Amino acid sequence: MRMNPSTLIGIVASILLLAVVLVFSAEDPKLFVDMPGLGIVLLGTAAATFIAYPLREVMRVFGLIRSVVHHEKLHVDRDLEDLVQISKIWMQSDIRAVEQALEKVSNPFLRSGVQLVIDNVPEQDIMDLLQWRIARMKAKEHAEAQLFRVMAGFAPAFGMVGTLVGLVNLLFLLGDGDITAIGRQMALALMTTFYGVLLANLLFKPIAVKLERRTEQRLVLMNTIMQGISMMSQKRSPALMRETLKAFVADVRDEIKDSEAVPRTEQAS
C-alpha cells in the first residue's frame, strides 16, 4: 500500500516549515529543542486522552494515523459496474450465477445487499438494514475524527501548562538579576506553547480533517450502492441503473463541493 500523495506533500511542507523556522528565523536552532517541554505536551495530551476515552478507542490512534498516511482508494466505478453486471444476471433469474458473481465482489456492503436481494428479503427491510449500517459507519468514523480534534484541543492547553512551569522558574531567577539567565528561561518557557500549537495544527487537526473527508467519500459510495440495490430489488433495467448511479454519484459530489463553498462565500460577504 503506497503513501497518500497529499499526505506526502503535507509532510514535506511541514519539514520545510520547520527547517525555515530553525535555520532562518532563529539565531541558535538548539533553542527550539526542549525535551522536557515536549514531554509535558506529549505526556499531558496522552494522559488527558486516556482519561477522556476508553482504552480500546485510544489504542486505535496508531492504526488511524497509518490509514491516513497510506493511500486508500475507493473503487467506485468498479463496485458500481459489479452491481450492474450482477443485476443483469439477476434479471435472467439465474440465482446460481448471481451467487458465483457475488463471490468475486470485494465490497462487503455491496455483497451483503445483493445477498439480501437474492434471499427475497422485502425491499423496505433491505433499505432499513443498509441505512442502519451506513449510520453505524458514519457514527463510528465521526467518533474517530473527533478523537483527534479533542487531542488538538489538549495539546495547546498543556503547552500553556509548560509555559506556566517555566514562568515559575523565571520568577525565582528575577532575584538574582542575571538578565541572560532570565531571557533563556523565558525562551524555554514559551517553547512548550510552540510545541502544543505545532502538534495541534500540523498533526492532530489535519488527521481529523482527513478522516472526515474519507467518511464523506465512503458515504457517497455506500448511498449509491444502496440506491442500486433498491433498483435491483425492483428488477429495474441494468442500463437505467448504470446511468442513474453515475448521475447520483456526480450529484452528491457536487453537493459536497457546494457545501464546502458556502462558508467561504459567507465569510467573504
Side-chain angles (χ1 to χ4, degrees), residues 104-231:
K104 302 177 182 178
V105 174
S106 59
N107 190 317
F109 185 78
L110 170 59
R111 191 165 55 245
S112 62
V114 172
Q115 186 63 53
L116 291 172
V117 172
I118 64 179
D119 288 342
N120 292 320
V121 177
E123 180 188 357
Q124 187 58 49
D125 293 341
I126 296 175
M127 294 299 101
D128 290 342
L129 178 59
L130 296 182
Q131 288 174 355
W132 175 79
R133 289 188 60 174
I134 291 174
R136 186 182 63 175
M137 186 277 294
K138 183 179 179 180
K140 171 179 171 292
E141 297 196 355
H142 173 75
E144 293 172 349
Q146 186 63 24
L147 171 61
F148 284 94
R149 290 198 175 275
V150 170
M151 294 174 69
F154 287 149
F158 281 98
M160 288 300 300
V161 170
T163 298
L164 293 176
V165 173
L167 291 177
V168 170
N169 294 330
L170 176 63
L171 291 176
F172 281 105
L173 293 175
L174 288 177
D176 298 334
D178 187 349
I179 301 301
T180 302
I182 292 174
R184 187 177 295 109
Q185 286 295 325
M186 187 65 181
L188 292 177
L190 295 176
M191 282 309 302
T192 53
T193 298
F194 173 77
Y195 290 143
V197 172
L198 203 65
L199 287 172
N201 292 282
L202 276 182
L203 182 62
F204 298 138
K205 283 184 181 179
I207 290 177
V209 173
K210 181 78 76 173
L211 292 174
E212 290 168 351
R213 291 293 302 161
R214 184 189 68 172
T215 300
E216 290 178 356
Q217 294 170 354
R218 288 184 175 180
L219 286 175
V220 169
L221 177 58
M222 294 176 75
N223 278 288
T224 304
I225 290 175
M226 185 177 68
Q227 294 300 320
I229 294 297
S230 176
M231 297 181 71

Side-chain angles (χ1 to χ4, degrees), residues 86-106:
I86 291 176
S87 179
K88 289 181 180 180
I89 301 174
W90 175 247
M91 292 287 290
Q92 301 171 4
S93 300
D94 190 349
I95 297 179
R96 179 57 184 166
V98 172
E99 291 177 344
Q100 291 176 348
L102 194 58
E103 294 176 355
K104 302 177 182 178
V105 174
S106 59

